[in-house]
Amino acid sequence: MSQKQEIILSGIRPTGRLHYGNYFGAVKAFLELQEKGHRCYYFIADYHALTTITERVDFYRQTIDMLRTYVACGLDPVKSVIYRQSDLPCTAELNLLLGMITNIGFLERGTTYKDKMTKLAANENMEGNPLSFGLLGYPVLMASDILIVRANTVPVGDDQRQHVEMAMDIAQKFNSRFGETLTIPKAVSRNALRLPGLDGAAKMGKSDNNTLDLLDDPATVLKKIKGVQTTTDPGPLGTDSDEPEDVIPLLPHSLGALYRLLHLLAPKDVYLDFVGKYRRGEKFYGTLKTTLAEHVSKFNAPIIERFNAAGNDEESVKEFLRENAKKVTPVALETVEAVRQAMGIGHSLYRA
Ligand code: TRP
């Protein structure tokens, strides 16, 4: 291989079922990277899911379902290491160690924390202590995920870029204080799409209840798509271009979501035909929706089939997790031991 092998890592929080926003925003890029022969680590960030909880949530189940969907989408456990964050508990030890050199002022500049602060200031709702130590420390834990496997490339969406930059800062600070120990990572843009929600919101997101899911059956798909608001008078398009990047932003919001999906899933001529219908002011909402629903269901069918066929039983899923955790553990232990050594507390005697 002429190209240098990179160590790639990315994580996703266990929000339950994977939706189209996750797929086109992340999973698709993971699939492409795994085919390029890099060493890829993909994990479900179940520790991170805990930063804002106020009561028990069955993250175990959600994690398992997401993993199974990952695999059904084509993430290949032979080519990539696919694991659960909490199956690598030395990440938590690294988090503790790196926390010792991370200033609070630095963490207070983190976007996740700042956004939360702004929201809280707006409605003064401090119930359930949402500003936990863990939430403030979110970037340190994320840095630990990255640094523990010595990742040099972290593909993330724009919203996570700052966190990766913070991981770089933490690693650099560590190395300059304690000697070259950690690999400095870099963020790469996932070159991904941010899909609008079915309600026309800028982003498809589970908490906004506006998602189309990869495991939705045809009836659900049709129901969701039919439910999309299309009552606004479309009005003229204002461009002669047929390029989706020119056309879609000009469409009234939820219609833009439908066209975006149609462009991703249907053959180009089908997409163009509907752009034409829009321009000519034809009545087309009904057929647009049924056509799109067909293409969505066609896309979902093999994923649902693999999801249901692949080792469904609890034991084989656990075995899958165990095998993958085994693959990532050696490098992680090496890192955390090197960090302990560099800081001066020496190796763990129990673990060794
Ligand atoms: N914070 C990321 C998100 O919300 C998930 C995540 C956790 C992550 N650790 C990571 C992503 C390490 C990349 C690398 O999407």
Side-chain angles (χ1 to χ4, degrees):
M1 206 180 344
S2 59
Q3 200 189 5
K4 192 169 159 279
Q5 195 197 36
E6 293 185 34
I7 300 175
I8 293 171
L9 168 123
S10 199
I12 197 162
R13 274 173 296 152
T15 46
R17 296 182 141 205
L18 280 175
H19 56 68
Y20 272 66
N22 301 134
Y23 185 88
F24 288 101
V27 179
K28 190 162 175 269
F30 296 171
L31 291 170
E32 287 162 8
L33 287 164
Q34 109 181 332
E35 297 310 322
K36 288 190 179 152
H38 300 302
R39 180 140 195 85
C40 296
Y41 295 103
Y42 299 129
F43 69 97
I44 310 282
D46 58 346
Y47 281 150
H48 273 110
L50 301 174
T51 48
T52 51
I53 63 162
T54 54
E55 57 184 35
R56 184 181 192 279
V57 178
D58 195 352
F59 286 122
Y60 175 72
R61 180 64 27 218
Q62 293 187 187
T63 302
I64 300 293
D65 284 349
M66 295 227 351
L67 276 167
R68 286 175 56 205
T69 319
Y70 257 8
V71 175
C73 287
L75 274 194
D76 180 345
V78 175
K79 296 178 182 156
S80 306
V81 187
I82 305 164
Y83 59 100
R84 188 168 68 137
Q85 183 183 30
S86 67
D87 277 328
L88 201 57
C90 46
T91 306
E93 185 178 353
L94 185 60
N95 177 58
L96 179 145
L97 296 168
L98 296 178
M100 301 303 175
I101 63 157
T102 309
N103 294 340
I104 290 180
F106 171 82
L107 293 175
E108 282 170 345
R109 292 194 290 276
T111 46
T112 306
Y113 177 79
K114 274 207 312 213
D115 288 353
K116 193 92 196 175
M117 282 294 270
T118 315
K119 275 192 200 140
L120 286 175
N123 61 19
E124 288 173 22
N125 176 11
M126 298 288 280
E127 256 172 65
N129 187 22
L131 278 184
S132 62
F133 176 52
L135 184 74
L136 179 64
Y138 194 107
V140 185
L141 183 56
M142 188 155 154
S144 306
D145 295 326
I146 297 168
L147 302 174
I148 202 144
V149 300
R150 304 182 193 282
N152 42 30
T153 305
V154 187
V156 283
D158 290 341
D159 59 330
Q160 295 296 318
R161 236 192 140 77
Q162 189 206 23
H163 285 145
V164 181
E165 282 157 13
M166 290 171 94
M168 295 166 67
D169 288 344
I170 292 172
Q172 262 150 0
K173 186 174 184 182
F174 188 96
N175 286 354
S176 72
R177 283 201 186 168
F178 303 109
E180 292 297 316
T181 311
L182 297 167
T183 304
I184 312 294
K186 66 173 184 301
V188 297
S189 208
R190 218 149 38 188
N191 188 7
L193 278 174
R194 171 174 283 204
L195 280 194
L198 292 183
D199 58 353
K203 189 178 174 188
M204 186 178 281
K206 186 183 176 241
S207 49
D208 300 318
N209 229 339
N210 62 8
T211 67
L212 198 56
D213 295 353
L214 293 167
L215 299 179
D216 282 343
D217 59 40
T220 310
V221 169
L222 192 61
K223 185 160 163 260
K224 282 189 180 176
I225 292 180
K226 281 206 164 152
V228 172
Q229 282 272 359
T230 40
T231 47
T232 36
D233 177 17
L237 201 44
T239 174
D240 293 335
S241 163
D242 279 339
E243 287 307 313
E245 296 321 317
D246 298 329
V247 170
I248 293 168
L250 298 175
L251 295 167
H253 265 349
S254 46
L255 206 54
L258 298 182
Y259 272 82
R260 170 63 75 196
L261 286 163
L262 192 70
H263 175 251
L264 286 169
L265 303 171
K268 184 121 198 217
D269 56 319
V270 174
Y271 161 78
L272 289 177
D273 183 43
F274 278 101
V275 174
K277 282 185 168 47
Y278 185 100
R279 284 217 171 89
R280 296 189 295 272
E282 290 173 20
K283 285 205 179 320
F284 64 96
Y285 290 154
T287 41
L288 171 66
K289 287 178 175 178
T290 47
T291 307
L292 176 60
E294 273 167 33
H295 286 284
V296 169
S297 292
K298 211 158 104 190
F299 188 81
N300 286 4
I303 299 175
I304 295 174
E305 198 183 318
R306 282 196 295 265
F307 182 90
N308 290 329
N312 264 348
D313 65 293
E314 197 71 18
E315 219 18 72
S316 63
V317 174
K318 283 187 179 157
E319 190 50 29
F320 176 96
L321 283 174
R322 233 176 266 129
E323 284 305 311
N324 279 274
K326 253 192 233 164
K327 285 191 215 164
V328 62
T329 294
V331 61
L333 284 177
E334 225 174 81
T335 306
V336 78
E337 289 294 340
V339 166
R340 292 177 58 124
Q341 194 69 1
M343 292 177 96
I345 58 173
H347 290 302
S348 161
L349 298 175
Y350 172 71
R351 193 189 275 143

